[in-house]
Each structure stands twice: as structure tokens, then as C-alpha cells.
Amino acid sequence: MDINFEYYKIFYFVAKYQNITKAAAALGSNQPNVTRIMKLLESQLNCKLFIRGARGISLTEEGERLYSHVAVAYRNILDAQEEICGKDAPNSGTIEIGATETALHLFLLQALRGFKQKYPAIRIKIHNRNTLETIRHLMSGELDFAVVTSPFEAPKTGSCLKALEYEEILVGGRTYEKLCHRPMEIEELKGYPLVGLGRETVTYELYRNFFVGYKVDMELDIEVATSDLMLPLLENNFGLGFMPEQMARPLIEEGKLVRIPLNAVSPKRSIQIVADRGRGRSLATGIFYQYLETAGLV
């Protein structure tokens, strides 16, 4: 099938903005021309790519599938263009990083702070999702690498590099200060509301298995999407929850949270840098890895 590659570029911008007018402006074209080419592309592919409505357009299932491939190809072309055109300025380029909330706070922010000071011309794009979603986007080619929290099942072509290990502790608001005086048994937690990450996260499965190991059936009273959302709920006495010790420590020192000792060892966790061995590293990504090793961060 001989389709003009320029059509795919125009499709990329229309799908990205989900608006013909905005896409035309980004392309330096006009609305009628963009609309005409999208109709030609749909005709040549023999499928409908867009659903047009009063508030704009959305992608059909076929459109979503096409966009997932075109977006990766377009980014790879731009990366290659940057590397070739920037050969006289080697310390430049763009890195697309996927990161979980916990990995961002415990590791990535610190790593990027020193890296950006040393390589200010390298642009960084961070995509914040949970571990499973981040790895899925990595393997689809949308990310250069992922910084995620364990546990997770490593992809077949994935390479994992441990950045750090961390401990999670049980904490609650000042209302639960009376629980600080002796180690609690896991069974006793059933008498208190529990706040935690939702069912779509690896953390939920980790603690579900943790409680099952102690023959305790626990259900969360409040489910949240990220660790950042847990902190204000815990601080305002909505329940107890497991948090990375480094994230909870400042609030414990301020007296806003209390650490509750347990007569059990919470699961060990780590932050891992995951890459796809099936794809080569861009120059900018290679510089970042080299920086991590030189700085002793991995």
C-alpha cells in the first residue's frame, strides 16, 4: 500500500490535539487541507480513524491503534534529527522518562537535579503513571526508560538496574498516637481504617499478599491513585497506611504523623530503572546512564 508519509505526520498532529484547527496551526497549514488529507488517509486505509463531534474529534479503535505506532515513529524520527543536527553539540537531545510517584520522590528528583546542572541542554520529559502502566508504555516504545517501584514482572526484553532499596512503615495521624507505645499485631489492624494505593497498582497486590501471609483478610477503607494523595488523608486522621519511610519522615518530625510499630516485617521494596533491550539508547539517554554510574547513583 503506497501512502504518502506526509499523511501520517498530519494524522499525528490531528490525533495529538484532537482538533483540526489546532493541528492545522501546528503544521502551518489550513483546516480544509488537513480535513481533506485525513479523509484521503481514511479512504486509503479503508477504515474510520476519527469520530467527529460538536466539541471536536476523538479517535476510533483503529485510530488509537494507528496513533500508538505513528507517535513512536514520529518521536524516533525527531530524536534522530536532533542527534544528527546536534552533532556539533553532543550534550543535547530529549529523554522521555516514565516514573511512579514514589520513584520520582525517592530517587529521580535527586538524580535529575545533578544531571540538569551538568547537562542543561538536554531536555527531560517525565510521564507519571503507576508501575504497570509505565512499563507498558516503555515496551510500546513511547519511553526511553522507566523508573518504577517493585514488585513487578520484568518484560522479556527488559533490563533492570536497581537504584535503591527502601523501607515502608505504618503511619497515622495524631489521633492514633496511642498506638505508638507497643508493637501491634497484624490482626489488630482489622480494628482500624486502612488507607492505601488502589487495586490497579502493584502496591495493592503486595500488601494483599502480605496480609494473607499472616492469615488476615484486610480491605482498604480508602483507595487512592498515588502516594502523594495518601499523605493528606493520613495526616487528617482518615486511617492508617504504609508509606516509604523517607516520604513520611518529614511529617513525623513535624508532629503531623506518628509511626506505629508492628510486630511484623513489612515487605522490602526497591526502585528499578527498566529499559527495553530490543531498542538502542539515544545519545541523551546514554549520557544519563553514564551520569548515574559516575555519580554512584546505581
Side-chain angles (χ1 to χ4, degrees):
M1 186 180 295
D2 187 18
I3 297 178
N4 189 329
F5 273 22
E6 186 69 15
Y7 291 5
Y8 289 119
K9 176 184 176 181
I10 295 171
F11 166 79
Y12 168 79
F13 279 94
V14 175
K16 177 182 178 180
Y17 291 109
Q18 297 197 7
N19 183 289
I20 297 288
T21 303
K22 290 180 180 179
L27 289 161
S29 182
N30 57 68
Q31 185 175 341
N33 188 52
V34 170
T35 300
R36 179 181 62 81
I37 290 175
M38 288 303 91
K39 288 181 178 178
L40 279 172
L41 183 60
E42 287 180 322
S43 175
Q44 292 183 20
L45 291 174
N46 195 29
C47 68
K48 194 174 181 63
L49 298 173
F50 302 102
I51 299 171
R52 296 164 177 83
R55 296 186 177 181
I57 60 175
S58 58
L59 291 169
T60 63
E61 183 178 344
E62 291 83 0
E64 291 280 5
R65 193 178 305 126
L66 180 61
Y67 181 67
S68 68
H69 293 285
V70 170
V72 172
Y74 188 75
R75 187 173 70 83
N76 287 339
I77 291 170
L78 290 182
D79 287 346
Q81 178 179 286
E82 279 189 347
E83 290 183 11
I84 293 169
C85 295
K87 58 182 180 294
D88 297 325
N91 296 334
S92 62
T94 302
I95 305 174
E96 302 264 359
I97 306 172
T100 63
E101 197 78 34
T102 299
L104 178 67
H105 287 286
L106 297 191
F107 172 75
L108 190 57
L109 287 177
Q110 176 192 352
L112 288 177
R113 187 176 295 113
F115 179 76
K116 284 295 290 179
Q117 288 175 352
K118 189 170 184 179
Y119 302 102
I122 294 181
R123 295 189 293 276
I124 305 292
K125 294 183 180 180
I126 299 175
H127 306 267
N128 180 221
R129 303 181 180 95
N130 66 42
T131 293
L132 298 177
E133 289 177 336
T134 298
I135 291 178
R136 185 168 68 249
H137 284 275
L138 169 70
M139 301 313 293
S140 71
E142 297 173 52
L143 304 170
D144 290 303
F145 61 87
V147 187
V148 295
T149 44
S150 68
F152 59 88
E153 184 177 348
K156 290 182 180 179
T157 61
S159 64
C160 301
L161 184 64
K162 184 185 291 186
L164 64 84
E165 292 184 336
Y166 66 95
E167 176 189 4
E168 292 194 323
I169 59 175
L170 183 66
V171 296
R174 293 298 300 273
T175 296
Y176 299 99
E177 195 168 5
K178 60 185 178 182
L179 303 177
C180 299
H181 305 303
R182 65 170 180 84
M184 289 183 67
E185 301 293 334
I186 294 294
E187 178 70 29
E188 293 181 81
L189 290 179
K190 295 185 71 172
Y192 300 93
L194 202 62
V195 180
L197 297 183
R199 298 169 190 268
E200 70 283 357
T201 66
V202 296
T203 298
Y204 178 88
E205 287 299 317
L206 177 71
Y207 278 100
R208 187 174 69 88
N209 294 332
F210 170 69
F211 286 118
V212 167
Y214 284 91
K215 297 181 172 55
V216 174
D217 182 25
M218 286 290 294
E219 287 294 335
L220 294 176
D221 293 88
I222 299 179
E223 296 184 20
V224 297
T226 68
S227 300
D228 269 7
L229 295 176
M230 284 182 62
L231 286 171
L233 291 169
L234 296 171
E235 185 181 339
N236 285 279
N237 302 299
F238 281 90
L240 308 178
F242 289 91
M243 289 291 302
E245 193 270 339
Q246 295 97 314
M247 292 178 69
R249 187 192 306 141
L251 291 175
I252 293 174
E253 292 173 351
E254 292 175 24
K256 296 179 179 179
L257 290 179
V258 295
R259 178 172 183 172
I260 300 164
L262 271 182
N263 196 14
V265 179
S266 59
K268 294 294 183 184
R269 307 195 68 178
S270 66
I271 292 172
Q272 306 266 349
I273 301 173
V274 186
D276 182 3
R277 290 195 309 269
R279 288 187 290 126
R281 294 177 185 171
S282 67
L283 289 178
T285 302
I287 291 171
F288 184 77
Y289 267 80
Q290 186 177 32
Y291 169 80
L292 292 179
E293 293 171 1
T294 304
L297 294 173
V298 293

mmCIF file of all heavy atoms in Angstrom, residues 225-244:
data_model
loop_
_atom_site.group_PDB
_atom_site.id
_atom_site.type_symbol
_atom_site.label_atom_id
_atom_site.label_comp_id
_atom_site.label_asym_id
_atom_site.label_seq_id
_atom_site.Cartn_x
_atom_site.Cartn_y
_atom_site.Cartn_z
ATOM 1 N N ALA A 225 -4.839 6.914 44.142
ATOM 2 C CA ALA A 225 -4.063 6.579 42.949
ATOM 3 C C ALA A 225 -2.560 6.712 43.153
ATOM 4 O O ALA A 225 -1.790 5.978 42.546
ATOM 5 C CB ALA A 225 -4.494 7.466 41.783
ATOM 6 N N THR A 226 -2.122 7.655 44.007
ATOM 7 C CA THR A 226 -0.689 7.887 44.195
ATOM 8 C C THR A 226 -0.356 8.059 45.673
ATOM 9 O O THR A 226 -1.223 8.396 46.490
ATOM 10 C CB THR A 226 -0.221 9.149 43.445
ATOM 11 O OG1 THR A 226 -0.803 10.304 44.069
ATOM 12 C CG2 THR A 226 -0.607 9.104 41.978
ATOM 13 N N SER A 227 0.930 7.874 45.999
ATOM 14 C CA SER A 227 1.389 8.032 47.380
ATOM 15 C C SER A 227 1.166 9.448 47.886
ATOM 16 O O SER A 227 0.873 9.663 49.068
ATOM 17 C CB SER A 227 2.878 7.678 47.484
ATOM 18 O OG SER A 227 3.112 6.347 47.092
ATOM 19 N N ASP A 228 1.315 10.435 47.005
ATOM 20 C CA ASP A 228 1.110 11.832 47.400
ATOM 21 C C ASP A 228 -0.296 12.072 47.938
ATOM 22 O O ASP A 228 -0.493 12.907 48.831
ATOM 23 C CB ASP A 228 1.362 12.758 46.201
ATOM 24 C CG ASP A 228 2.814 13.214 46.143
ATOM 25 O OD1 ASP A 228 3.619 12.702 46.937
ATOM 26 O OD2 ASP A 228 3.128 14.060 45.296
ATOM 27 N N LEU A 229 -1.263 11.355 47.389
ATOM 28 C CA LEU A 229 -2.650 11.525 47.840
ATOM 29 C C LEU A 229 -2.889 10.878 49.194
ATOM 30 O O LEU A 229 -3.812 11.263 49.913
ATOM 31 C CB LEU A 229 -3.611 10.935 46.807
ATOM 32 C CG LEU A 229 -3.650 11.620 45.446
ATOM 33 C CD1 LEU A 229 -4.575 10.871 44.488
ATOM 34 C CD2 LEU A 229 -4.106 13.067 45.591
ATOM 35 N N MET A 230 -2.037 9.908 49.548
ATOM 36 C CA MET A 230 -2.200 9.248 50.852
ATOM 37 C C MET A 230 -1.847 10.184 51.995
ATOM 38 O O MET A 230 -2.501 10.175 53.042
ATOM 39 C CB MET A 230 -1.322 7.994 50.927
ATOM 40 C CG MET A 230 -1.839 6.808 50.158
ATOM 41 S SD MET A 230 -0.764 5.361 50.366
ATOM 42 C CE MET A 230 -0.882 5.081 52.156
ATOM 43 N N LEU A 231 -0.801 10.977 51.815
ATOM 44 C CA LEU A 231 -0.271 11.776 52.921
ATOM 45 C C LEU A 231 -1.306 12.710 53.561
ATOM 46 O O LEU A 231 -1.450 12.718 54.785
ATOM 47 C CB LEU A 231 0.953 12.562 52.454
ATOM 48 C CG LEU A 231 2.214 11.710 52.261
ATOM 49 C CD1 LEU A 231 3.312 12.524 51.590
ATOM 50 C CD2 LEU A 231 2.701 11.169 53.585
ATOM 51 N N PRO A 232 -2.058 13.512 52.788
ATOM 52 C CA PRO A 232 -3.045 14.384 53.448
ATOM 53 C C PRO A 232 -4.163 13.603 54.128
ATOM 54 O O PRO A 232 -4.689 14.050 55.155
ATOM 55 C CB PRO A 232 -3.581 15.247 52.303
ATOM 56 C CG PRO A 232 -3.210 14.542 51.047
ATOM 57 C CD PRO A 232 -1.966 13.788 51.341
ATOM 58 N N LEU A 233 -4.522 12.444 53.585
ATOM 59 C CA LEU A 233 -5.554 11.627 54.225
ATOM 60 C C LEU A 233 -5.067 11.078 55.557
ATOM 61 O O LEU A 233 -5.797 11.083 56.560
ATOM 62 C CB LEU A 233 -5.966 10.480 53.298
ATOM 63 C CG LEU A 233 -6.737 10.886 52.037
ATOM 64 C CD1 LEU A 233 -6.851 9.707 51.079
ATOM 65 C CD2 LEU A 233 -8.128 11.403 52.399
ATOM 66 N N LEU A 234 -3.829 10.599 55.578
ATOM 67 C CA LEU A 234 -3.262 10.083 56.822
ATOM 68 C C LEU A 234 -3.084 11.207 57.837
ATOM 69 O O LEU A 234 -3.410 11.050 59.020
ATOM 70 C CB LEU A 234 -1.920 9.403 56.538
ATOM 71 C CG LEU A 234 -1.981 8.158 55.653
ATOM 72 C CD1 LEU A 234 -0.573 7.704 55.270
ATOM 73 C CD2 LEU A 234 -2.722 7.018 56.353
ATOM 74 N N GLU A 235 -2.588 12.334 57.370
ATOM 75 C CA GLU A 235 -2.358 13.477 58.250
ATOM 76 C C GLU A 235 -3.651 13.958 58.892
ATOM 77 O O GLU A 235 -3.656 14.429 60.041
ATOM 78 C CB GLU A 235 -1.715 14.605 57.440
ATOM 79 C CG GLU A 235 -1.317 15.809 58.256
ATOM 80 C CD GLU A 235 -0.713 16.903 57.383
ATOM 81 O OE1 GLU A 235 -0.254 16.601 56.266
ATOM 82 O OE2 GLU A 235 -0.716 18.064 57.837
ATOM 83 N N ASN A 236 -4.763 13.823 58.162
ATOM 84 C CA ASN A 236 -6.066 14.271 58.672
ATOM 85 C C ASN A 236 -6.865 13.151 59.322
ATOM 86 O O ASN A 236 -8.091 13.230 59.439
ATOM 87 C CB ASN A 236 -6.873 14.923 57.547
ATOM 88 C CG ASN A 236 -6.359 16.315 57.210
ATOM 89 O OD1 ASN A 236 -6.696 17.270 57.894
ATOM 90 N ND2 ASN A 236 -5.534 16.420 56.173
ATOM 91 N N ASN A 237 -6.154 12.094 59.718
ATOM 92 C CA ASN A 237 -6.722 11.037 60.579
ATOM 93 C C ASN A 237 -7.818 10.205 59.927
ATOM 94 O O ASN A 237 -8.741 9.743 60.597
ATOM 95 C CB ASN A 237 -7.262 11.665 61.882
ATOM 96 C CG ASN A 237 -6.181 12.412 62.636
ATOM 97 O OD1 ASN A 237 -5.172 11.844 63.044
ATOM 98 N ND2 ASN A 237 -6.388 13.716 62.806
ATOM 99 N N PHE A 238 -7.715 9.991 58.591
ATOM 100 C CA PHE A 238 -8.688 9.139 57.927
ATOM 101 C C PHE A 238 -8.371 7.652 58.115
ATOM 102 O O PHE A 238 -9.182 6.815 57.751
ATOM 103 C CB PHE A 238 -8.748 9.469 56.438
ATOM 104 C CG PHE A 238 -9.560 10.691 56.137
ATOM 105 C CD1 PHE A 238 -8.970 11.947 56.101
ATOM 106 C CD2 PHE A 238 -10.922 10.597 55.908
ATOM 107 C CE1 PHE A 238 -9.721 13.089 55.833
ATOM 108 C CE2 PHE A 238 -11.680 11.721 55.627
ATOM 109 C CZ PHE A 238 -11.076 12.970 55.596
ATOM 110 N N GLY A 239 -7.193 7.334 58.627
ATOM 111 C CA GLY A 239 -6.850 5.937 58.840
ATOM 112 C C GLY A 239 -5.348 5.741 58.935
ATOM 113 O O GLY A 239 -4.579 6.696 59.072
ATOM 114 N N LEU A 240 -4.944 4.475 58.853
ATOM 115 C CA LEU A 240 -3.540 4.094 58.896
ATOM 116 C C LEU A 240 -3.094 3.685 57.498
ATOM 117 O O LEU A 240 -3.908 3.246 56.679
ATOM 118 C CB LEU A 240 -3.321 2.923 59.863
ATOM 119 C CG LEU A 240 -3.888 3.075 61.279
ATOM 120 C CD1 LEU A 240 -3.620 1.795 62.086
ATOM 121 C CD2 LEU A 240 -3.285 4.284 61.976
ATOM 122 N N GLY A 241 -1.804 3.793 57.223
ATOM 123 C CA GLY A 241 -1.314 3.389 55.909
ATOM 124 C C GLY A 241 0.185 3.163 55.915
ATOM 125 O O GLY A 241 0.908 3.672 56.779
ATOM 126 N N PHE A 242 0.645 2.368 54.952
ATOM 127 C CA PHE A 242 2.069 2.106 54.782
ATOM 128 C C PHE A 242 2.649 3.118 53.797
ATOM 129 O O PHE A 242 2.148 3.262 52.686
ATOM 130 C CB PHE A 242 2.291 0.688 54.262
ATOM 131 C CG PHE A 242 1.992 -0.379 55.275
ATOM 132 C CD1 PHE A 242 0.719 -0.937 55.376
ATOM 133 C CD2 PHE A 242 2.991 -0.834 56.142
ATOM 134 C CE1 PHE A 242 0.449 -1.922 56.316
ATOM 135 C CE2 PHE A 242 2.720 -1.811 57.083
ATOM 136 C CZ PHE A 242 1.447 -2.365 57.180
ATOM 137 N N MET A 243 3.717 3.791 54.234
ATOM 138 C CA MET A 243 4.364 4.804 53.409
ATOM 139 C C MET A 243 5.869 4.577 53.403
ATOM 140 O O MET A 243 6.420 4.089 54.392
ATOM 141 C CB MET A 243 4.092 6.208 53.977
ATOM 142 C CG MET A 243 2.675 6.702 53.813
ATOM 143 S SD MET A 243 2.277 7.043 52.080
ATOM 144 C CE MET A 243 3.518 8.255 51.662
ATOM 145 N N PRO A 244 6.557 4.939 52.306
ATOM 146 C CA PRO A 244 8.024 4.907 52.340
ATOM 147 C C PRO A 244 8.527 5.779 53.488
ATOM 148 O O PRO A 244 8.055 6.911 53.673
ATOM 149 C CB PRO A 244 8.419 5.494 50.984
ATOM 150 C CG PRO A 244 7.253 5.211 50.094
ATOM 151 C CD PRO A 244 6.052 5.344 50.974
#
